[in-house]
Amino acid sequence: MSDENSGFNRFRPLNAETGAQLVEAFGGPDFPALLLEAAQTISQVDEVFGYIVVNGCEPQSLVAYSILPGSGERVSEYLRRFYHHDPAVHELNKIPVGNSFAQRTRNNAIIPYDYRNFCFTKPNFKEKLSFGWRSNTYLLVLNFYRTNDSDDAALFKLASLANLTLTIMVHRH
């Protein structure tokens, strides 16, 4: 097999039935668990968190689900205290309207200390994979948190899942 073909294998599409289930479930009580379950079929994802920021106002949670304790408190504190310190948010604000964004942030890159300690060190997250989209009136962000960051091969499929989820969020917004 040539290098060109082996590279193509990294872009295997998501399971179409899973995608259809996500589309149908969005906005309902089963969507957060279904999204995390879909992510876990791709990689060791321990928590998902997505939010919207409309016209520069405070962010509002759209989806949050975790297999780890303390998720609700992490989401609340992030929205209340740490949102403005997030490196992904800084990058997302720089991209042109109508563009998407992806960023991999390791826990040791998170500043300030209280943000890193509360949202990364305590739950033992090694990294956060952030995907976003910017319109002229709002920002959408979807994060996958992992306690194990060794699964680089799964990044392309997680990006596909994130793009599908962001598309659903844009459509439903």
Side-chain angles (χ1 to χ4, degrees), residues 27 50-51 78 86 93 99 105 108 113 116 125-126 150 168:
Y51 59 91
Y78 175 87
D86 190 336
N93 281 318
N99 283 295
T105 306
N108 60 0
Y113 170 78
R116 181 177 61 245
F125 292 134
K126 303 292 186 237
S150 64
I168 295 168

Side-chain angles (χ1 to χ4, degrees), residues 81-95:
R81 295 177 49 204
F82 302 127
Y83 163 75
H84 295 290
H85 300 291
D86 190 336
V89 172
H90 293 277
E91 291 304 313
L92 185 57
N93 281 318
K94 295 178 187 176
I95 69 169

Side-chain angles (χ1 to χ4, degrees), residues 11 32 34 56 59 69 80 86 104 107 112 121 124 148 167:
F11 296 102
L34 194 62
R80 189 175 71 77
D86 190 336
R104 183 181 197 177
N107 64 347
T121 304
N124 199 32
N148 181 344
T167 299

Side-chain angles (χ1 to χ4, degrees), residues 95-117:
I95 69 169
V97 168
N99 283 295
S100 296
F101 155 86
Q103 182 181 65
R104 183 181 197 177
T105 306
R106 307 263 186 205
N107 64 347
N108 60 0
I110 300 296
I111 300 172
Y113 170 78
D114 57 339
Y115 172 30
R116 181 177 61 245
N117 186 51

